[in-house]
Structure formats: structure tokens, C-alpha cells
Amino acid sequence: MVTTQRTKEICEIIRLKSTQVFLVAGTCLITVMVTLLCIGFMTRYEVENDVANVADVDYWKDRVAPSQKIWYDKGIDELNEALRPEDLTYPKNVRIFVIQGIDGRDLAAFRFPTRDISRGNSNFIWDQFPHLARLKNSCSQQFPCQVASVSRALWLGIPLDKVPENQQDCGRLFNATQEPISIVRQAQLAGLRTGFVTTQRITGPTGAALGNTNGHYECDERMPRSSKKSGCQDIAQQLISGETGKSLNVLIGGGRQMLSSLVPNTKYDPVDELLCESNDGRNLLKDWRTQKLRESKINPIIFDLIQRRDELESLNSSSFDYLMGVMANGDLSGNSKAPSLKLMVEKSLNVLNKYKQGYLLIVEQFIPSGIDKGQQLQLLNDTLGNLHKDPDTLTLVLMTNAIYPKPSLDVSEETETISLLPEIFNEAKSEIQKRLNQMPSESLLFAQGPKSSIFQGVRKETFLAHAVSHVLSRSRAQP
């Protein structure tokens, strides 16, 4: 009897322990299965999305020399960037930086600022952008090639040879629906906030095209009397009174002497005698402020008009609905106390981001002859480096020498050079080479952000307006 009882106790202990062992074994088995499933999912994700690292990116590791392998391994980061899958989302915001006076030759030269190549090259931010396109320069097919027409082709999306001539009937409404409109006006009609910042005059070729203005004259001084009598308006007047200009949330640049007949003429900011000077007694700056005061009585808005760097520095721009800054009589390069490009862009983005409703910002950096291009590229690099990294923003950098205007002439440098070919052939070889190096090349367009992948290959100059219009229209359609 005692033996039987003892046997039963032993069996119960063994049964209890076997149950525990089963539970432990089952737990371990489930853990292993879950781990294997996770590994399987991760492997499938990496295969489908081309995720790679130094260990699994294929190249002939065993065939290259050890001195090569170290550089191949370091290049994996760039390869990973190239293998990254396309982003299917569309940008909420678009920032376009247009640098006039810089082309591929300049970029190549200034990547190595010294003759000592061993010191390495300059790390320009746009060189890290994943996509690059070239925009054709059709200006070489036109003679004479007017700068205003080139700007309109770029920002209206109309081929250069199809850009409509300036209307003779000045009584027509400049912003009528039957008239071509720029991508800025398209963005405004779609409900986006818009801004234009330039180191040139806001009445220059780019500002004139973006503002949907009509005509060649930046102010009244050089406009024929017959045009004035027929009701024609100069570019400055149209920019301030037209719907596109009035709707700009940000407008910063030079050109005070086109907007007002009485301007201060100081040593640090002299009147530019090569440019148009208004003499009809106007004060379009006051008119802009009056417009906004009238508008604020209907719809409360916060706005400001500034004309000095210290005013811009101290401005709490994130609270403003509209900001206009006229920072020089002519171009900003003529004002030694003009604000930096970095400051103007920073304050502009604060205004545009106020309501988080999406925006289009176009920034023009104009580099006239005689200015240190290397220094200007570094200023642009610092400006881009200061930007907040936003996954909802498409950033474009357009380097162009094709629409590089001279203040006293309404033609491109390429047209001017071609017109002087008879004289060129009588010059020394060094002078001929110098002139050829000054001729514009195709424009380079660097792209980063959502849908930057559409900016690749060799495209017509109209492609920029078409592509920006597309991505912004799709972004507005997304929930």
C-alpha cells in the first residue's frame, strides 16, 4: 500500500513537471516562430524596397584591388540614395531658387576653390540632391532674343517662339482669364500662399513675368507718350495694382526708384542712373499700403512695408499675412546695407507658413558681371543650409546663364555675343575663347523632395512651369 501511494505521488510530480516543460517549450517555439516571421517580413521589405548596405550591395568585391575597395565601400551611401524607391506622395510646398549668371562651367570651377585638389572640393548642398535635369536654351534660336520673352517662356510655360507679343490695346484687363498666367497666379487661384524674393529689382524680367505684367517699360520715364495717352501702364504700376501682385503674400527685392519718384540718394544706396527712374510724382509704396489698409477693413489682415535691413531683422514675420520689402533703389547689389539672401528667405518662409495651407516661393539670386561668383555660390549654399528640412516640400535650384540680362540692354548675353561674331573673328585667340566662355549654356535644375524624380533628362525650358503646375495641382487634390 505504501509503495502504491508513493508511486502515485511520483507520477503526479512527473506530470506536473512535464506540463511545465511543455509550456516552456511551447513558449520557446512561439518565440522562434515570431522571430522567423519578423526576419521574413524584413527580408521581403528590403527586397521590395531595394534597401541595401555595404554587406549586401553587389559589386565585384573580390576582383577590385584593396586600394579600390575602400572607395567602393564609401560609395555605397550614394548608391543607396540612387536605389531609394520613388516617393508616391506630392509636395505641399514648392521652393524654387533661380540663380542667374551661373552655369555648369562655373559650378565645376568653384567646386575646387584652390589649385590644391588634395584639399577636397566644396560641398554644395544642391550637389546632394537626388535628381538633376537640363533645360534647353532656345534663346540661341531667336534673334534678337529679348530677356522679357525668355522669362515669360520659363514662368508661363509657353515656348519662346510662341510667347505672345505685348498687346497694343492697353485698355485690356491684364489679368483676364484669356491671358496666359504664370505659375504664381495659378498657385494663388488654387488657394496657395505665394512669394517672390529677388536680389534684383522686383520689376525686372522675372518679376514682370511672374506678375503677369505686359510691356517692356519698368517705369514711366522711358514709356512713349503715345503709350501713356492710350492708357498703357508700366510694369511697376501693373505689379502693384494687378491681381497677381496684390495677392502676393511676400514681395521683397529692389527697384525703389521705379516705384516712387522721390527716393533717398545716399552713398550706400545711390540711384542707379542706368535704370529707369520714375518722374510722374508716383508713390506706389504708399499705394500698396493704402490697398492693404482698405482690405483690412473687410478682412482683418496683418501687413507691413519695410525698406531697411534692421527693420527686416527685427520683424516677427510669422504673424504677418502680407510683407513687402523694397530694399534698394536699384538692384540689391547697389546697396551696401541690403539684407542678405538668407535673411530675406528666412523671413519670407515665416510669412508663407503662417496658415500651413501650402505655398509657392520663388527666390531669384541675380549675379551681375564683376561680382565674385564663388562668394555668391557660398551665400546660396548657406541659405539652403539654413532651411528647415520639410518632407512635404519640393526644393528646386535652377542654375542658368541663358536669361542673364544686362541692365542697359533688353537682350540676352548670348544674342549679344552672336551679333558680334564678325568682330570676334578679327580678335586674338585668347579673346575669342574668352567670349565663347561667356556665352550661356543649358540651365541645370537640381531637385529634392516629393516628386523630385520627375526632374530628370534634357527638357525644354517650358518644362519647369508645367511640372510645378502639375505637382501643386495634385497636392491640392490630396485629402
Side-chain angles (χ1 to χ4, degrees), residues 47 54 77 145 224 235 303 316 323 434 464:
V47 171
V54 175
D77 289 338
C145 186
I235 292 173
F303 64 91
N316 181 19
L323 175 62
K434 181 179 178 180
L464 176 61

Side-chain angles (χ1 to χ4, degrees), residues 99-102 110 124 126 199 332-333 340-341 364-368 370-384 399:
I99 297 82
Q100 297 206 44
I102 294 289
F110 289 109
F124 292 136
W126 51 87
T199 61
L332 265 63
S333 59
S340 65
L341 181 70
E364 178 187 36
Q365 185 182 18
F366 178 73
I367 305 177
I371 298 296
D372 187 340
K373 293 184 178 181
Q375 183 183 38
Q376 294 298 309
L377 285 173
Q378 191 57 53
L379 291 175
L380 174 64
N381 201 58
D382 295 341
T383 300
L384 292 172
M399 303 280 184

Side-chain angles (χ1 to χ4, degrees), residues 307-337:
Q307 300 189 60
R308 299 196 314 271
R309 180 177 59 196
D310 60 326
E311 292 179 325
L312 186 61
E313 290 173 339
S314 61
L315 192 70
N316 181 19
S317 54
S318 58
S319 63
F320 284 85
D321 298 290
Y322 295 92
L323 175 62
M324 183 175 183
V326 183
M327 317 307 294
N329 288 329
D331 296 340
L332 265 63
S333 59
N335 182 0
S336 60
K337 294 185 179 182

Side-chain angles (χ1 to χ4, degrees), residues 216-246:
H216 295 295
Y217 306 101
E218 293 189 35
C219 76
D220 59 288
E221 180 191 28
R222 299 175 184 176
M223 181 180 289
R225 291 184 179 181
S226 58
S227 298
K228 295 179 181 178
K229 290 181 179 180
S230 65
C232 291
Q233 292 182 338
D234 54 75
I235 292 173
Q237 184 71 56
Q238 294 176 57
L239 190 62
I240 298 301
S241 62
E243 290 301 321
T244 305
K246 289 193 298 184

